[in-house]
Amino acid sequence: MSEDVVGLAAVTVLGVLEQAYFSLQVIYARRKYSVSPPATTGPPEFERIFRAQANCSEYFPIFITVLWTSGLFFSQGASSVCGLLYLYARFRYFRGYSQSAQGRLAPLYFSAQVLWVLIGFSCVGVLLTFCRVYLAIELLGQLTAALRLT
Amino acid sequence: MSEDVVGLAAVTVLGVLEQAYFSLQVIYARRKYSVSPPATTGPPEFERIFRAQANCSEYFPIFITVLWTSGLFFSQGASSVCGLLYLYARFRYFRGYSQSAQGRLAPLYFSAQVLWVLIGFSCVGVLLTFCRVYLAIELLGQLTAALRLT
Amino acid sequence: MSEDVVGLAAVTVLGVLEQAYFSLQVIYARRKYSVSPPATTGPPEFERIFRAQANCSEYFPIFITVLWTSGLFFSQGASSVCGLLYLYARFRYFRGYSQSAQGRLAPLYFSAQVLWVLIGFSCVGVLLTFCRVYLAIELLGQLTAALRLT
């Protein structure tokens, strides 16, 4: 089984490394702006880096979940490409947010769009499999047949 | 393999859509109560919505983890039903918390109970498989045999 | 398939139980120090427990992700042992942080080291599989052959 999902696993490992990078940036920012744990408030520069990392962490499980659902039920290739785009968008989001609250917006919107594409892939893939397994309906086959008749 | 877990995958996709809905509510609340990022404090109405989403996000990975552990090692059907109940409880929790801190309690307790059921299923399923694989003991078979003898 | 991953699943269930324990500690601390939701600030004792749980929750999805990637692509045994070490380090981190901000450091560093080992296992395992599947290169075999020739 592990050979069929190695593309997804590679994107996953990249994602983990990216999160590790973000976490290290927060540690450096805590030192630079003298904000000792458990405090999470301080100069705006620190708070932006802290929130950027918190936001990326919050979305990480959702990203991993849709990456794999989409990869297993729709297409490993398409999901892996979207996954790489998402990780790139998150990198630009983190860099942008570190500089200004405004700078986070464009990459944030882009990352959200990529996430919606992965959610769409997951919905289509799971729906098609669900219909085939539980309703014994070949949605895709019927659609193709219907299109051929017209 | 994907056909054996399509029920779990369907609940997973629903869970992701629910999280997306919660995230959108926070974005609307930020606009309505004029709380610009990176700030996370503001009027109590905003803070309740923000904390409701943060709490759901925090529990999302745990929910997905026990949903799949329970589904793979105990029963896909029982886990999927519990998963749907959990997502419904979280929806009521979010709505209740948005209105008052008190309103979050009943659905929160219910969601915690459903989560404990999923954790219980996971423990039983993993323990039975563990004993069979590593100790070559058929716990369930021995229990049935012991009950038959009495 | 479930029999090949039961060790990872057992560590996963232990990890979920640990997170449940941390969550209960925050609930007790909220009562003890009279910090009602949605507030997340209060006496330092409360804030340390709150941040300890938040930090563990934040790392939980990353831990589960690398535990399974490492287990599926590198070695289930080695990953499970690292997983148990990580959970023990997190337990000591939570206890240490509850007592003082200083007390969190040693177990935090240890947990980070274990996480890096799991990330390293994942990278090696995924890279070897990736080369075999997509580049038809047996990295490990070639390395052994090269070593034999020298």
Side-chain angles (χ1 to χ4, degrees), chain A residues 37-38, chain C residues 44-45 48 93-105:
Chain C
E45 290 78 13
R48 285 204 307 273
Y93 163 83
F94 190 88
R95 294 279 289 263
Y97 206 170
S98 304
Q99 279 152 21
S100 72
Q102 185 63 28
R104 82 187 196 289
L105 289 178

Side-chain angles (χ1 to χ4, degrees), chain A residues 50-126:
Chain A
F50 181 81
R51 282 300 306 158
Q53 192 265 344
N55 188 287
C56 292
S57 289
E58 197 180 294
Y59 278 86
F60 181 76
I62 291 176
F63 166 64
I64 294 294
T65 304
V66 289
L67 174 73
W68 282 81
T69 318
S70 162
L72 288 175
F73 289 90
F74 187 79
S75 150
Q76 188 190 196
S79 303
S80 301
V81 170
C82 286
L84 291 175
L85 284 175
Y86 178 83
L87 295 179
Y88 176 65
R90 277 292 167 179
F91 181 74
R92 278 180 46 225
Y93 163 83
F94 190 87
R95 294 281 288 263
Y97 206 169
S98 304
Q99 279 153 20
S100 72
Q102 185 62 29
R104 83 188 195 289
L105 289 177
L108 183 63
Y109 293 150
F110 182 64
S111 79
Q113 281 161 4
V114 176
L115 214 52
W116 278 113
V117 170
L118 281 172
I119 292 174
F121 285 171
S122 303
C123 288
V124 170
V126 169

Side-chain angles (χ1 to χ4, degrees), chain B residues 75-124:
Chain B
S75 150
Q76 188 191 196
S79 303
S80 301
V81 170
C82 286
L84 291 176
L85 284 176
Y86 177 82
L87 294 180
Y88 177 65
R90 276 292 167 178
F91 181 74
R92 278 181 45 225
Y93 163 83
F94 190 87
R95 295 279 289 261
Y97 206 169
S98 303
Q99 279 152 20
S100 72
Q102 184 63 28
R104 82 187 196 289
L105 289 177
L108 183 63
Y109 293 149
F110 182 64
S111 79
Q113 282 161 4
V114 176
L115 214 53
W116 277 112
V117 171
L118 281 172
I119 293 174
F121 285 170
S122 302
C123 288
V124 170

